[in-house]
Amino acid sequence: MLNKTIVKLAVPMAIGALALTGCGGGDSGSDGAYKIAFQGPLSGDNVQLGQNMENGIKLAIDQAKASGDLDFEVEYVSVDDQGLPDKATTAAQKAIDDESVVAVIGPAFSGPADTAAEMFGAAGLVALSPSATRADLTTKGYKTFLRAVPNDSAQGSGMAKYLSQKVKADKVVVVDDKTDYGIGLADVAEKDLKAAGVDVVRQSVPQKTPDYSAAAKNVVKNKPDAMIYAGYYQDAGPFARKLEEAGFDGVTMSGDGTNDAQFIDLAGDASDGWLLTCACTDATKEEATKKFAADYEKEFKQAPGTYSAESYDATMMIIEQMKKLHAEGGVERQALVDALRGAKYKGLTKEFSFDDKGEFTNQAIYLYEVKGEGIEYQGGIDELVG
């Protein structure tokens, strides 16, 4: 999923001065515990997406500890970047400076991931993201970045495939929110729609636009069969309301950044019928994840959200490799990076493995639809298209 820019210029200098302070870390801390950190939005506009993942991670750690299979202590620590690139450097440094931290799950959003990945690489600390989907994150040579989710090429292609083959749209308006996530996702969707012979009109509307009336009218005047919004729920909500007020009656679609109940709260009835893509499965529907969903709801008094189950799986994959390394003498950061790069792990949601660039090898994309007050799982796009 999911964002950055000015800070990027400051990062290279920061890396030399800051990130190396954590180099060589990874021994258990003074209390004898290894720590797994999560970097993501734990405050700010899109906090719910971060909380979904944090809860999945906490549940995995608690269940691993309760299993009695661990010969070591493992603890959770959070570093909040608010989902913003300009907060990513400070958040990452907090994890790096704590020598008990042997792995980071995240960064959750693409912009912060791009900002922090080189720092984590310099510190030899793995950054395993269950949600940062911008396609080029695995092409920049980041030494310790691993992605445990299909990238936006897969998600954008899934959008295009569904609209061209299932909806049989002749014309689509593609709107991005000018974030790294939104632009990347929209680029792929536009490219694949055009390749499928669909007429595409591209528009950009910045995050936090005070009034989406003009943007909605621009969509309507083009008379498309469908519209894709590549952005987050905080903006998709008010945009959906204005689209409805403008009289848009075509198919409306967005991605994993919008796939959250907060979208319905913000959009109200205007959210009804929106199609939402995600690399995430619905933990409450899939047989393999029903126990996880029940355990999650018992613990947190809410159903698992977007990427909760995938974050659980990522944590369990890390702990599995930690167990092997600890048995061989101890968990060191770089050794854990190397172990994860070559690992295959059968999780609740899917099988996890990475190519030589740290890219996830499973590229399945799923479709959801807003119906009334809920988001209902429809299935895999390949199966739905047939």
Side-chain angles (χ1 to χ4, degrees):
M1 183 184 329
L2 331 224
N3 170 9
K4 127 276 115 195
T5 307
I6 298 174
V7 243
K8 189 69 182 167
L9 299 173
V11 168
M13 290 187 292
I15 291 167
L18 300 176
L20 291 174
T21 59
C23 195
D27 292 321
S28 55
S30 57
D31 57 358
Y34 300 116
K35 296 179 181 177
I36 298 175
F38 169 61
Q39 180 175 334
L42 296 172
S43 63
D45 289 344
N46 295 290
V47 63
Q48 186 62 54
L49 294 171
Q51 290 175 345
N52 294 340
M53 294 178 235
E54 180 181 54
N55 289 345
I57 295 165
K58 286 181 174 178
L59 184 61
I61 291 175
D62 288 347
Q63 292 188 348
K65 292 166 71 173
S67 71
D69 292 337
L70 302 185
D71 295 328
F72 52 86
E73 291 294 321
V74 58
E75 296 178 357
Y76 170 77
V77 61
S78 66
V79 289
D80 178 15
D81 64 16
Q82 299 183 30
L84 300 173
D86 61 358
K87 304 291 184 184
T89 303
T90 300
Q93 195 65 48
K94 179 181 176 183
I96 290 167
D97 286 347
D98 185 342
E99 294 193 353
S100 299
V101 173
V102 295
V104 174
I105 298 176
F109 286 9
S110 294
D114 195 22
T115 301
E118 199 167 349
M119 295 173 64
F120 288 129
L125 179 59
V126 68
L128 175 56
S129 179
S131 56
T133 52
R134 205 182 74 193
D136 66 357
L137 288 172
T138 53
T139 66
K140 295 187 172 185
Y142 297 139
K143 296 178 180 177
T144 63
F145 179 79
L146 301 174
R147 174 158 38 213
V149 65
N151 64 34
D152 286 339
S153 292
Q155 190 170 192
S157 293
M159 290 174 155
K161 179 182 288 187
Y162 190 84
L163 292 179
S164 63
Q165 297 183 28
K166 189 72 173 180
V167 176
K168 301 190 182 304
D170 293 319
K171 187 176 185 179
V172 177
V173 172
V174 178
V175 183
D176 70 73
D177 67 352
K178 290 194 172 183
T179 66
D180 286 4
Y181 162 67
I183 292 171
L185 181 58
D187 284 349
V188 176
E190 178 182 3
K191 173 176 172 289
D192 282 24
L193 283 166
K194 288 180 176 177
V198 178
D199 185 14
V200 178
V201 177
R202 181 67 176 268
Q203 298 178 4
S204 296
V205 185
Q207 257 187 328
K208 300 181 184 296
T209 292
D211 186 347
Y212 281 91
S213 297
K217 290 176 182 176
N218 282 337
V219 172
V220 173
K221 77 176 185 182
N222 282 289
K223 301 180 180 179
D225 303 300
M227 189 247 14
I228 292 173
Y229 178 68
Y232 300 94
Y233 68 74
Q234 193 74 22
D235 297 281
F239 190 25
R241 286 182 180 272
K242 293 302 181 183
L243 282 166
E244 185 178 62
E245 290 178 13
F248 182 63
D249 59 1
V251 173
T252 43
M253 175 179 275
S254 191
D256 52 353
T258 302
N259 192 352
D260 190 276
Q262 295 289 324
F263 169 59
I264 300 174
D265 293 342
L266 292 165
D269 292 343
S271 64
D272 197 40
W274 274 62
L275 301 174
L276 305 172
T277 58
C278 191
C280 56
T281 57
D282 186 340
T284 67
K285 302 297 182 185
E286 297 287 347
E287 198 60 42
T289 52
K290 284 185 176 179
K291 183 181 184 305
F292 160 81
D295 291 345
Y296 185 104
E297 190 155 355
K298 181 180 180 181
E299 181 68 24
F300 303 110
K301 314 305 179 193
Q302 60 181 286
T306 300
Y307 295 125
S308 294
E310 284 76 8
S311 298
Y312 177 96
D313 276 343
T315 310
M316 286 299 196
M317 182 181 189
I318 289 170
I319 291 175
E320 182 181 78
Q321 296 306 312
M322 289 171 62
K323 289 166 64 176
K324 295 176 182 177
L325 292 173
H326 183 77
E328 296 169 358
V331 184
E332 296 284 346
R333 289 178 174 180
Q334 188 59 54
L336 185 54
V337 174
D338 296 341
L340 287 165
R341 279 192 176 280
K344 288 186 178 181
Y345 176 73
K346 178 64 176 174
L348 299 177
T349 59
K350 52 185 77 84
E351 186 167 302
F352 292 78
S353 61
F354 312 99
D355 68 15
D356 59 353
K357 295 180 179 177
E359 186 67 86
F360 190 49
T361 56
N362 185 329
Q363 297 292 304
I365 299 297
Y366 305 91
L367 187 73
Y368 295 75
E369 182 176 355
V370 179
K371 293 186 177 181
E373 297 180 352
I375 298 175
E376 296 189 6
Y377 178 62
Q378 303 299 302
I381 284 183
D382 286 343
E383 289 71 32
L384 292 170
V385 169

